[in-house]
Amino acid sequence: MSSAEVLMPRESGKFIAETAKDVFIEAKGVEHLAHEIVKNLKSGALSPKNFSQHVHHPTTNDLKAVDWLFVIDTLNFCFWTDSEVNKRWKVEGQSGYFALCAAVKRALDAGIPLTDATFLSKITADDVRSILRADADAAEVPLIDERVKNLNEVGRVLLEKYNGTFIECLKVCDKSAENLLKLVVTEFECYRDEADYRNKRVSFYKRAQILVGDIWACFEGKGHGEFHDIEYITMFADYRVPQVLVHYGAMRYSEALLAKLSTGTEVALLRTSASYNTKRSIPGEHLQAGCIEETEIRGCSIEAVERVVEQVRKLVRADASLNLKEADCNSILVDHFLWDYRRKHVEELEHIPFHKVRTIFY
């Protein structure tokens, strides 16, 4: 199947949501979440300037900021370990994505040329293992070989086509988020986050989209971060944001899917979004990358956020006293709200089932 036949993320989400058998989008939950987004937009709490990632990202004064973000998002996947309940991957006390940012900064501060394409094209497993080494009491990050392969690939492509820097990719995209997204998934195979679903090729492009979003947010929509069509980017379909969508009642899972994501004895307690907090659930089996269940969760997450954005804009149009513009809300902002909400309310959300997949895409 040619790339022209692949549905882009927004179209993929819509198609998947229309045909999904185990994941459902709930209008009342979408409306509830939309009101929360409006409240946070109005107060100024939800803004690209306030994204929690900014603390861990390079500043715009750093000449290598764009390549730094590119390296981070090339490695931005699968930080959980099988022993996560007792032992997680941590770097300088941080876990997950923030641990990755800490590891990359530590390496750059130590003079390791992680933003140099030649170095990336030749990086070894021992190099990556050292760069991502965990705190003394923590587990090693998984998928080392896959991370090496990703870095080798992006380094090689940058050297062959883009003068060794991702800035050149930005230059040829004419300030278009759509152009940049399509360039990334075309040129860099490790960003080609796709699946087959009901005789169609669908896409999510989580890491490619978050790369565009990171550059936009880091530069506050100016300079390298200026995109005239940033609304083209959808939410970043992973395994934690769907958990928050379920929490808000914007998504609901079938009993069959819940049986896979939680223990069988608790499935009866998890039939409705209102009863998710009845009892803490224990993670169930891991899903296979590209399976129907994973595809439906990720696709419906995209469509659910699209509907939230649409509802927010409807609320903004209807109430001039909000002093908001429709353009003040996009899928990137909603995704960050949900992602940050999960980090701030870990215990509150722990009971809600979520899927786990060993993959390089999230």
Side-chain angles (χ1 to χ4, degrees):
M1 182 176 289
S2 68
S3 59
E5 294 175 286
V6 180
L7 295 179
M8 293 302 285
R10 181 169 284 105
E11 291 70 34
S12 296
K14 184 176 180 60
F15 170 69
I16 292 167
E18 289 172 347
T19 54
K21 302 298 183 184
D22 288 297
V23 185
F24 312 96
I25 300 173
E26 301 289 334
K28 286 186 178 180
V30 167
E31 185 175 359
H32 173 49
L33 180 53
H35 280 281
E36 283 292 301
I37 297 297
V38 168
K39 182 173 68 176
N40 280 268
L41 286 171
K42 185 178 179 181
S43 70
L46 180 56
S47 164
K49 295 180 181 180
N50 297 332
F51 288 173
S52 62
Q53 288 87 338
H54 281 337
V55 177
H56 305 273
H57 281 176
T59 67
T60 55
N61 295 325
D62 193 310
L63 297 177
K64 289 290 187 177
V66 169
D67 289 310
W68 185 338
L69 291 171
F70 185 48
V71 168
I72 287 174
D73 286 320
T74 298
L75 295 170
N76 183 11
F77 59 88
C78 199
F79 304 121
W80 56 272
T81 61
D82 288 323
S83 60
E84 191 168 0
V85 172
N86 299 313
K87 204 172 187 181
R88 305 170 67 185
W89 177 61
K90 289 187 176 182
V91 176
E92 298 182 356
Q94 302 286 344
S95 62
Y97 177 74
F98 290 165
L100 172 64
C101 293
V104 169
K105 184 178 186 303
R106 178 179 63 188
L108 291 171
D109 288 346
I112 298 173
L114 258 182
T115 55
D116 181 84
T118 300
F119 177 75
L120 296 178
S121 70
K122 300 176 181 179
I123 202 168
T124 67
D126 286 341
D127 293 331
V128 173
R129 192 170 284 109
S130 175
I131 290 165
L132 300 181
R133 67 188 181 278
D135 294 344
D137 59 344
E140 182 182 81
V141 68
L143 303 182
I144 289 290
D145 290 342
E146 288 79 359
R147 297 177 197 280
V148 173
K149 183 179 179 181
N150 282 14
L151 293 173
N152 288 162
E153 181 202 350
V154 300
R156 183 176 64 253
V157 173
L158 288 179
L159 288 171
E160 292 174 353
K161 297 185 176 183
Y162 296 101
N163 294 325
T165 175
F166 193 74
I167 291 176
E168 292 296 316
C169 297
L170 296 180
K171 289 180 179 178
V172 302
C173 288
D174 196 27
K175 300 185 185 301
S176 168
E178 178 180 359
N179 289 348
L180 182 57
L181 174 61
K182 290 179 177 178
L183 180 148
V184 170
V185 300
T186 298
E187 297 283 31
F188 305 99
E189 183 180 354
C190 66
Y191 278 87
R192 213 168 295 155
D193 179 8
E194 301 169 358
D196 292 312
Y197 181 76
R198 303 195 187 283
N199 299 316
K200 289 187 181 292
R201 188 71 173 169
V202 296
S203 68
F204 310 99
Y205 299 147
K206 186 264 185 181
R207 289 194 296 106
Q209 293 207 108
I210 206 169
L211 172 61
V212 179
D214 281 347
I215 294 171
W216 172 72
C218 178
F219 290 88
E220 298 183 4
K222 303 171 185 176
H224 292 312
E226 181 182 353
F227 299 103
H228 60 75
D229 57 350
I230 193 62
E231 69 279 355
Y232 184 82
I233 302 301
T234 72
M235 63 83 71
F236 316 129
D238 64 359
Y239 70 104
R240 283 302 194 180
V241 171
Q243 187 183 26
V244 188
L245 288 169
V246 170
H247 165 74
Y248 272 100
M251 285 202 328
R252 175 175 57 85
Y253 297 156
S254 71
E255 275 195 37
L257 180 54
L258 286 171
K260 284 195 171 185
L261 302 183
S262 56
T263 59
T265 57
E266 294 177 354
V267 172
L269 299 173
L270 298 167
R271 288 177 179 170
T272 67
S273 59
S275 65
Y276 276 117
N277 62 0
T278 304
K279 187 176 182 181
R280 176 178 174 138
S281 65
I282 301 171
E285 65 181 82
H286 296 174
L287 299 183
Q288 293 298 310
C291 72
I292 290 177
E293 295 91 342
E294 180 208 25
T295 301
E296 290 191 357
I297 291 171
R298 299 183 77 201
C300 288
S301 296
I302 291 175
E303 176 62 13
V305 170
E306 290 300 304
R307 295 185 192 182
V308 169
V309 172
E310 182 181 353
Q311 182 65 24
V312 168
R313 291 176 175 175
K314 180 179 178 181
L315 293 170
V316 168
R317 288 195 300 269
D319 188 353
S321 70
L322 291 172
N323 293 318
L324 294 172
K325 304 185 297 296
E326 290 185 51
D328 289 335
C329 181
N330 59 38
S331 297
I332 297 174
L333 281 157
V334 175
D335 183 282
H336 276 273
F337 171 83
L338 297 170
W339 195 81
D340 282 340
Y341 185 94
R342 187 260 157 190
R343 289 188 65 88
K344 294 174 183 176
H345 300 84
V346 174
E347 292 300 323
E348 180 184 353
L349 299 179
E350 192 62 32
H351 58 276
I352 299 177
F354 61 92
H355 72 288
K356 283 188 173 182
V357 176
R358 282 289 180 216
T359 176
I360 69 167
F361 296 122
Y362 61 96

